[in-house]
Amino acid sequence: MIANIARAGLLLAALAVAGCSESSVTDFVPQHANRQLSAKIMAEMKAKGMNKSSPVLARVFKEEGKLEVWKQKTNGRYDIVASYDICKMSGKLGPKFTEGDRQSPEGFYTVRPGQMNPNSSYHLAFNIGYPNAFDRANGRTGSNLMVHGACSSSGCFSMTDAQIEEIYAFARDAFKGGQTEFQVQSYPFRMTAANMARYRNDPNYQFWAMLKEGYDHFEITKSPPKVDVCEKRYVFNQIPEAGGTFNPTGACPAVTQPQALQTAYQAYKSKYDAAFASATGGDIPAPKPTIAGIKEAAIVSEWTKRRARGERVTLEPPAMAQDGSIVQTTARMGRIDSAEGRRMAALDAAAEAKKKAAEEKAQAVAAAKAAKLAAQQQVETAAVPQTAPEATEAPTQAAQVAPVEEAGAATKLKKKLLNLFGS
């Protein structure tokens, strides 16, 4: 008996130890979250001097519709390892301003292990970390901005399920290799001189010029820039002097920057400035639609709230023209397919049915009143004597007959007298 109890205790202990192992933990994660990178990708990584678990970063280019995964090589610099077509993305070029504006963020974001979601309703997902310190300092709002699967988006970067499995695997392996966080750089477009020239008159241009400094630092160093925020703006690769700190809404501290980076940046910028001047003087493609600041964001946000309540709205949100007027982008109306949408549809249908019943009842009452009035008029008409016209004619006829009868009597009397007395 005692031996059996002891053996049972050893079995429970073994099960308890097994319950803490990595293999058992992953049993609670969907299998697609454990997908391994293909042999082809592994071979490409090896050829570029990358390890499976080396650090990663992601870059997003909204106008081009691309999401790139970059990975660190053994020399410390990063190189692109994969590029994906973004399956779906809502909004226009330009940053996200407020909850519900359907904009996907632009800026520099950080993803940590806790932001990875293997049990997402959208197959797999990771939260990019919006709003960051810059967004909060500038009063921008929103939440749950993801890179996810299922190809469905309202402000997120949505990929196909196969794509997100691969992207997720890159990040998962990097975290297993010791990376504590990875950077997501989200840009409106590739920040070349030609593209910056195209949007030089856009209201978002100053914001984009600020992002471009971080973009340039990465292009020069092929390493994620150190990102901080002070005076409500981004600063890159700056090191505060002793005792200094970065306050997102406060004054920027005294800083230093590696001399080699400053020199490289100035050389890079000189070439860029020449290319920019050349681009502005020639024919350039027309820019794509961009968001017209917080005012348009507020308009779209209100549309989103109405849609979420299940109200019947235009299929696409309204937009703001350059003159500040609001324009409808479509005349087609619809309602969100959700519990709220169906509830509101039922309420609207009931209200419409009630209105129609009331109209039909009013029409029936009006018809009944009209019929009753017509009947009364018929009764009154029947009660009036119809001999009046004949009475007016009788005296005339008598007047016409009387002289004839009187003339005849006189003639007869005259004849009698003549007969009696002779002619």
Side-chain angles (χ1 to χ4, degrees):
M1 178 70 175
I2 295 174
N4 289 338
I5 293 174
R7 281 195 295 271
L10 290 172
L11 177 60
L12 290 173
L15 290 173
V17 172
C20 296
S21 69
E22 182 179 350
S23 60
S24 66
V25 171
T26 57
D27 288 342
F28 296 97
V29 174
Q31 288 304 306
H32 52 256
N34 294 320
R35 173 187 170 183
Q36 298 301 305
L37 293 170
S38 69
K40 180 182 177 182
I41 290 177
M42 295 296 294
E44 291 174 353
M45 288 166 51
K46 184 177 180 180
K48 290 185 176 183
M50 302 169 181
N51 297 320
K52 177 182 178 182
S53 58
S54 58
V56 297
L57 71 82
R59 303 180 90 194
V60 174
F61 300 98
K62 290 166 63 173
E63 183 174 11
E64 292 82 0
K66 295 288 186 180
L67 185 151
E68 298 175 349
V69 175
W70 290 61
K71 204 162 176 62
Q72 190 180 54
K73 301 189 292 185
T74 52
N75 64 5
R77 291 167 67 86
Y78 282 66
D79 198 353
I80 188 169
V81 66
S83 178
Y84 306 92
D85 292 327
I86 297 174
C87 187
K88 188 171 289 187
M89 176 175 51
S90 65
K92 303 177 179 180
L93 300 185
K96 183 172 185 63
F97 289 95
T98 187
E99 183 83 50
D101 64 8
R102 296 173 64 84
Q103 287 292 110
S104 49
E106 293 174 3
F108 294 81
Y109 297 93
T110 301
V111 179
R112 299 181 176 89
Q115 292 162 240
M116 305 288 287
N117 184 5
N119 299 301
S120 171
S121 299
Y122 298 92
H123 198 63
L124 292 170
F126 58 84
N127 190 317
I128 69 170
Y130 177 95
N132 62 15
F134 172 87
D135 300 317
R136 291 191 296 271
N138 286 275
R140 297 178 178 178
T141 60
S143 59
N144 300 320
L145 277 300
M146 309 275 180
V147 174
H148 61 69
C151 194
S152 173
S153 178
S154 293
C156 297
F157 301 111
S158 183
M159 318 301 293
T160 66
D161 291 348
Q163 288 173 332
I164 192 62
E165 286 180 14
E166 203 165 88
I167 297 166
Y168 195 94
F170 278 119
R172 179 200 63 216
D173 292 348
F175 284 136
K176 286 183 178 180
Q179 186 174 12
T180 58
E181 60 186 38
F182 71 88
Q183 192 174 90
V184 176
Q185 304 173 4
S186 180
Y187 301 108
F189 40 75
R190 296 191 188 278
M191 308 196 90
T192 63
N195 280 337
M196 293 299 287
R198 288 170 62 207
Y199 292 95
R200 64 189 183 279
N201 297 319
D202 192 274
N204 298 293
Y205 184 81
Q206 291 303 317
F207 170 71
W208 291 337
M210 176 178 58
L211 296 186
K212 190 180 184 309
E213 184 177 347
Y215 175 96
D216 292 346
H217 280 213
F218 179 78
E219 291 295 312
I220 294 166
T221 66
K222 290 298 186 288
S223 181
K226 175 180 177 294
V227 181
D228 292 289
V229 181
C230 57
E231 297 177 4
K232 298 184 179 182
R233 60 184 176 87
Y234 285 113
V235 292
F236 303 97
N237 290 324
Q238 295 188 358
I239 304 168
E241 293 184 353
T245 58
F246 290 104
N247 181 342
T249 58
C252 292
V255 296
T256 60
Q257 195 174 65
Q259 185 59 48
L261 176 60
Q262 292 184 42
T263 302
Y265 179 71
Q266 289 304 319
Y268 182 93
K269 194 171 183 306
S270 295
K271 292 181 180 178
Y272 164 80
D273 290 342
F276 181 87
S278 176
T280 55
D283 293 332
I284 55 177
K288 296 291 182 65
T290 66
I291 192 165
I294 186 64
K295 289 185 178 179
E296 182 172 4
I299 293 169
V300 176
S301 178
E302 179 59 29
W303 175 91
T304 301
K305 291 175 184 176
R306 292 180 58 209
R307 182 174 180 268
R309 290 195 296 264
E311 296 181 27
R312 194 166 182 268
V313 296
T314 54
L315 294 186
E316 294 295 332
M320 181 175 285
Q322 290 184 347
D323 61 1
S325 62
I326 300 173
V327 294
Q328 296 296 338
T329 55
T330 179
R332 297 176 62 196
M333 303 287 287
R335 198 189 305 273
I336 188 172
D337 184 15
S338 67
E340 278 301 304
R342 291 186 287 274
R343 185 181 71 84
M344 287 296 293
L347 290 174
D348 288 352
E352 185 63 27
K354 185 177 181 181
K355 179 182 177 183
K356 184 177 180 180
E359 291 174 349
E360 291 175 347
K361 182 178 179 180
Q363 291 172 357
V365 170
K369 287 182 178 179
K372 183 177 181 181
L373 180 60
Q376 289 176 347
Q377 290 176 343
Q378 289 178 354
V379 171
E380 292 173 357
T381 301
V384 175
Q386 300 299 317
T387 57
E390 295 178 2
T392 58
E393 294 175 0
T396 304
Q397 292 174 355
Q400 292 173 348
V401 172
V404 175
E405 292 177 345
E406 289 175 359
T411 302
K412 289 179 180 179
L413 179 60
K414 183 177 180 181
K415 286 181 178 180
K416 285 181 180 182
L417 289 175
L418 289 174
N419 291 332
L420 288 175
F421 300 105
S423 55

